[in-house]
C-alpha cells in the first residue's frame, strides 16, 4: 500500500459546482497534513494545512479523519482558476520529511 | 513571484557533461531541499540540508552531488547523468528545520533534459 494515495482524476466539474477530494495515508503515526496546489508546469504551493478540528479558508474546507486515516478537501463554488492538480502531503519518518500523494487533477469547465 | 530562485530554468546536457543547478533563498530559512519530479508524478525527495548540514539523502545515485555553501544557497552538481534523469528539479526551503512542521516554499524548478 502506498504511503499516501489519491484518486488521480481528472475531475471535470462545471463552474459553481462543489467538488471534494479524499486522500488516504498509511502511517497511523503521521501528525502533519497539508494540501498543496500545482498548476501545469509550475511549482507546488501550499493551499492549506489540515488541522485535527478541520479548517476553512474561504471556499476551501479541509478535514482530517484519524480513525479512517484520510484527509479531505472540499471546494465550493468552483472557479475556472481552481483548475490545477491538488497534492495531498503527509509527514513521514517523524517530522523530518513529508510524502506527496500522486495528486488529483481538477478541471473546472465554463 | 516565488522567493526561492532557481537557475537555470532549462538545461540540456549530454551524458558526459558536468553541470550544476543553483538555488537561492533570502528568507532566513533553516532547511533546504532538492526534489525530483517526473511528468504526472509527485515530487520525490532527494536531499535535505538542515542548518547547512546534509541531514537526509534518499539513496540518490552519486552522479547527483548536493552542496550547501551557506544558509542561503543550495547547489546540485550533475555528472554522467542518464536520459532517465530528465525531470523537473525543484528546490524548496522551510522556516523550521523539519519539513513536516510547516510550509515548504518551492522554486519554479530547473527542467533538465539529458541526451
Amino acid at each position: 500500500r502506498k504511503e499516501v494515495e489519491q484518486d488521480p482524476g481528472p475531475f471535470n466539474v462545471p463552474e459553481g459546482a462543489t467538488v471534494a477530494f479524499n486522500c488516504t495515508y498509511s502511517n497511523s503515526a503521521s501528525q502533519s497534513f497539508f494540501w498543496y496546489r500545482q498548476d501545469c508546469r509550475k511549482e507546488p504551493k501550499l493551499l492549506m494545512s489540515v488541522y485535527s478540528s478541520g479548517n476553512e479558508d474561504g471556499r476551501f474546507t479541509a478535514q482530517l479523519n484519524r480513525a479512517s486515516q484520510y484527509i479531505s478537501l472540499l471546494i465550493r463554488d468552483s472557479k475556472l482558476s481552481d483548475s490545477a492538480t491538488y497534492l495531498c502531503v503527509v509527514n513521514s519518518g517523524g517530522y523530518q520529511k513529508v510524502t506527496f500523494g500522486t495528486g488529483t487533477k481538477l478541471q473546472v469547465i465554463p | 513571484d516565488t522567493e526561492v530562485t532557481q537557475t537555470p530554468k532549462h538545461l540540456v546536457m549530454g551524458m558526459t557533461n558536468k553541470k550544476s543547478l543553483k538555488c537561492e533563498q533570502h528568507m532566513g530559512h533553516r532547511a533546504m531541499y532538492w526534489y525530483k519530479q517526473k511528468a504526472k508524478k509527485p515530487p520525490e525527495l532527494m536531499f535535505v540540508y538542515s542548518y547547512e548540514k546534509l541531514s537526509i539523502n534518499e539513496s540518490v545515485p552519486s552522479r547527483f552531488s548536493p552542496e550547501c555553501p551557506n544558509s542561503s544557497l543550495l547547489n546540485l552538481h550533475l555528472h554522467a547523468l542518464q536520459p532517465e534523469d530528465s525531470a523537473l528539479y525543484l528546490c524548496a526551503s522551510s522556516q523550521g528545520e523539519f519539513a513536516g512542521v510547516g510550509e515548504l516554499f518551492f522554486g519554479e524548478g530547473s527542467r533538465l533534459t539529458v541526451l
Side-chain angles (χ1 to χ4, degrees), chain A residues 30-47:
Chain A
S30 294
Q31 296 290 329
S32 302
F33 310 92
F34 309 89
W35 283 104
Y36 278 72
R37 169 194 169 132
Q38 186 170 25
D39 293 296
C40 187
R41 300 182 75 81
K42 295 284 191 180
E43 74 277 18
K45 292 185 179 180
L46 180 67
L47 179 65

Side-chain angles (χ1 to χ4, degrees), chain A residues 32 36 38 43 95 97 101, chain B residues 37 42 58 98 100 104 107 111:
Chain A
S32 302
Y36 278 72
Q38 186 170 25
E43 74 277 18
Y95 284 102
K97 56 183 181 178
Chain B
Q37 187 173 27
E58 291 287 88
F98 299 127
L104 285 171
R111 194 164 296 278

